[in-house]
């Protein structure tokens, strides 16, 4: 049964008139402000010359090595180098105790002097004997004995001379010298240790400028290389550019060249060992470093480059996210080719000038509106910069 306002207390209609507008306002849902488009960093991809090439995992090696070993048995008397230091050819690096070899040399020289005196006496006696024999005053038997003594003295003289040469050489061996300019490694024996020819190396001297870079290619690639250039790798090196990427990701500042290719394949791996050579004037490269070697031809085709950081992958293939003219995110599947520094060549799927998202990928999806912020990129390192900063 409806309630009549007349039957209600007099104050209630007035209360309803005051309160109902507020209740009505509370019941209406508030309209939220539209969200701001996500801010993303983009670069305008550009074309660059992409030359055909390959990358290889390689390892550096010294271009020459020499073990410093004892050639006589003696005690190490003095070490004249600092481990890890630069040495010059002819520098005395280790001095061995030489008292014994000096005494041996003195004895050999004394025996040589005696042999020379004996030789001179035998020569004189033979000369006189021949003069007397020619006059018939000396028998043939006595003359033969003089000749035998001369021959024996001559033999002892040669033996004494050889002994002096050997003793002199042994004395020279008491000083161990640098065989060439290079760097010397760790000392394996301390002063006071007795070393001999079978003791092993006292230290090692390395030549690191130039330095070798050893790598391997499979036999199919090697055959294709020979078919393309129809010559040896050394000769074809004039038509190729060789560059190194160091373990810290930086590009080495010097270019190299191919130096050697093995004349047979390795039976167990089916690969061919090849060696490149690089200048190393600052001794930045040490033997044993793992590096990335890139070999490129000296001409190529123009292709779009996209940052490797922008690439994503699904089961359908690799793709990038692009901002179109309507400020919307669009997915573009791409076919990638050779890497070039921090970039990778795109053979299909992108055009020069396309705005590719490089930062903020996790905040967006296909079809969403975004607020693009233009960036520049360093092709080699992948570092992003503002256009003003890149222009400086």
């Amino acid at each position: 049964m409806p309630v009549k306002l007349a039957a209600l207390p007099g104050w209630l209609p007035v209360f309803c008139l005051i309160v109902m507008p507020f209740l009505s306002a509370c019941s209406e849902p508030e309209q939220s402000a539209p969200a701001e488009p996500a801010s993303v960093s983009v670069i305008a991809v550009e074309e660059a010359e992409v030359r055909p090439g390959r990358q290889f995992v390689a390892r550096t090696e010294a271009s020459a090595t020499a073990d410093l070993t004892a050639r006589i048995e003696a005690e190490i008397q003095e070490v004249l180098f600092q481990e890890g230091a630069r040495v010059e050819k002819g520098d005395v690096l280790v001095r061995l105790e030489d008292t014994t070899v000096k005494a041996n040399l003195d004895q050999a020289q004394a025996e040589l002097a005696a042999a020379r005196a004996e030789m001179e006496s035998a020569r004189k006696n033979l000369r006189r004997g021949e003069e007397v024999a020619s006059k018939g005053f000396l028998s043939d038997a006595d003359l033969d004995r003089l000749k035998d003594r001369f021959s024996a003295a001559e033999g002892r003289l040669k033996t004494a001379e050889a002994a002096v040469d050997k003793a002199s050489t042994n004395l020279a061996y008491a000083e161990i010298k640098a065989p060439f300019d290079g760097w010397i490694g760790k000392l394996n024996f301390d002063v006071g240790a007795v070393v001999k020819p079978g003791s092993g190396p006292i230290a090692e001297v390395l030549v690191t400028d130039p330095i070798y870079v050893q790598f391997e290619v499979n036999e199919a690639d090697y055959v294709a290389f020979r078919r393309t250039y129809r010559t040896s790798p050394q000769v074809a090196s004039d038509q190729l550019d060789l560059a190194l990427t160091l373990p810290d990701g930086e590009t080495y500042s010097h270019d190299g060249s191919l130096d050697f290719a093995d004349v047979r394949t390795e039976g167990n791996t089916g690969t061919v060992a090849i060696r490149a050579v690089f200048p190393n004037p600052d001794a930045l490269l040490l033997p044993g470093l793992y590096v990335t070697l890139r070999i490129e031809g000296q001409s190529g085709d123009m292709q779009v480059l996209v940052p490797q950081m922008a690439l994503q992958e699904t089961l359908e293939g690799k793709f990038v996210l692009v901002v179109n003219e309507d400020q919307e995110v669009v997915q573009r599947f791409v076919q990638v080719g050779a890497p070039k520094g921090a970039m990778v060549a795109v053979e299909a799927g992108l055009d020069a000038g396309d705005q590719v998202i490089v930062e903020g990928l996790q905040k967006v999806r296909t079809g969403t509106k975004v607020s693009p912020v233009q960036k520049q990129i360093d092709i080699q390192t992948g570092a992003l910069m503002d256009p003003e900063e890149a222009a400086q």
Side-chain angles (χ1 to χ4, degrees), residues 74-79 94-99 190-193:
E75 178 183 320
I76 296 178
Q77 191 175 59
E78 194 175 5
V79 174
V94 178
R95 186 170 284 121
L96 304 179
E97 192 277 323
D98 58 4
T99 303
D190 295 326
V191 172

Side-chain angles (χ1 to χ4, degrees), residues 369-386:
K369 290 273 190 179
V370 293
S371 175
V373 178
Q374 197 70 41
K375 296 285 185 177
Q376 298 286 336
I377 189 168
D378 186 300
I379 292 179
Q380 293 301 322
T381 65
L384 294 175
M385 299 167 286
D386 293 328

Side-chain angles (χ1 to χ4, degrees), residues 320-334:
V320 295
L321 296 181
V322 176
V323 178
N324 64 15
E325 295 179 354
D326 297 327
Q327 310 295 295
E328 293 180 345
V329 178
V330 178
Q331 184 184 47
R332 293 273 188 87
F333 284 95
V334 293

